[in-house]
Amino acid sequence: QVQWQDTVRKVLYHMQQDLSASQQENCCEALRNLIVDQDSRSFASDLGAIESVLAAMKAHSDAPGVQGHCAGTLTHLAAGLRERQLIFNLNGLDVVVSGMQQHEDASLVQYKGCAVLANLAADEESQVTVAQSGAIPRILRGMERHLNEQLVQDYCIGALFNLSRAPQNMVELVLSGGERVVRAALKIHPDAPTVKKVGQVLAEMLEAAKRL
């Protein structure tokens, strides 16, 4: 236990000492691999991991590698309730959505961003907050741009499914052509884990909502 704690401390120290894009990207990926449960989430968060990750994303908004790998770290952090709230409080949601918008052509940024959004959308209040950031059209845009990328389709379907639990988000999904995008993912990636698990259900929900 002491060893992984020391490693987290060292990674965060190096993030503060070397602000280059390559260092921030590598450190975020290292943190992602170290944050594996609530103990490690809480420990890293208490040391300022969320602040460090968001600072890296803001400082290197033009670097898709930083945006993608740091979003991956946020995904692991956002699995905890306290950590989710801190990400919201620090405007991390807007940072993630902005990165997805700026790097539409980077599949890494799209699927890692969708993974964060899925974890942030853990309850109805959060689902509404995430949608208000412009997440739904951003997710659909990413899916359309990366139709043949299984990871993008899989993680984005997961985010859409979580967001769809809020009734007003379902309305936005219908009006934004969500059913068409989801069915395209089902057709091309029927065996992708999340597409297979919830894609058909989501498509049917959207079809039914159109008739209301």
Side-chain angles (χ1 to χ4, degrees):
Q1 185 178 20
V2 173
Q3 185 176 7
W4 71 258
Q5 290 176 337
D6 285 344
T7 305
V8 170
R9 288 192 186 96
K10 289 176 182 176
V11 171
L12 289 170
Y13 172 79
H14 287 300
M15 286 187 77
Q16 294 164 0
Q17 295 301 308
D18 182 352
L19 301 178
S20 68
S22 60
Q23 179 78 331
Q24 299 300 302
E25 179 180 331
N26 291 335
C27 286
C28 277
E29 182 62 8
L31 278 178
R32 184 184 71 85
N33 288 320
L34 289 163
I35 299 169
V36 295
D37 54 24
Q38 190 53 49
D39 285 344
S40 51
R41 262 190 296 278
S42 296
F43 183 78
S45 180
D46 288 343
L47 290 177
I50 294 172
E51 290 88 343
S52 293
V53 170
L54 291 175
M57 295 177 77
K58 291 175 184 177
H60 300 285
S61 60
D62 59 341
V66 174
Q67 298 301 307
H69 289 292
C70 289
T73 311
L74 288 180
T75 300
H76 284 211
L77 287 161
L81 175 60
R82 184 172 65 101
E83 292 74 24
R84 274 197 301 278
Q85 193 56 56
L86 183 54
I87 292 169
F88 280 123
N89 291 344
L90 294 172
N91 296 319
L93 170 61
D94 292 334
V95 174
V96 171
V97 174
S98 177
M100 292 176 69
Q101 181 174 0
Q102 186 168 345
H103 300 283
E104 279 189 351
D105 293 330
S107 61
L108 175 74
V109 178
Q110 298 304 309
Y111 84 78
K112 292 284 191 180
C114 280
V116 183
L117 298 178
N119 277 0
L120 289 175
D123 56 67
E124 186 168 340
E125 182 180 356
S126 297
Q127 288 150 14
V128 171
T129 300
V130 171
Q132 287 173 340
S133 73
I136 288 174
R138 182 52 41 208
I139 293 168
L140 294 173
R141 177 69 170 164
M143 292 178 72
E144 289 177 317
R145 290 292 287 267
H146 300 277
L147 188 57
N148 293 315
E149 293 285 348
Q150 180 171 305
L151 286 172
V152 174
Q153 301 301 312
D154 209 45
Y155 280 97
C156 289
I157 286 275
L160 291 179
F161 183 75
N162 286 4
L163 288 168
S164 72
R165 287 184 251 169
Q168 68 193 70
N169 293 350
M170 179 61 81
V171 172
E172 182 179 358
L173 267 169
V174 169
L175 295 176
S176 301
E179 183 191 354
R180 172 182 54 80
V181 178
V182 171
R183 290 198 183 279
L186 279 164
K187 181 177 180 180
I188 297 175
H189 304 282
D191 295 323
T194 309
V195 173
K196 187 175 183 178
K197 183 178 180 182
V198 302
Q200 187 63 41
V201 173
L202 180 57
E204 290 172 359
M205 288 167 55
L206 288 165
E207 183 180 4
K210 283 199 302 187
R211 296 195 293 265
L212 295 178

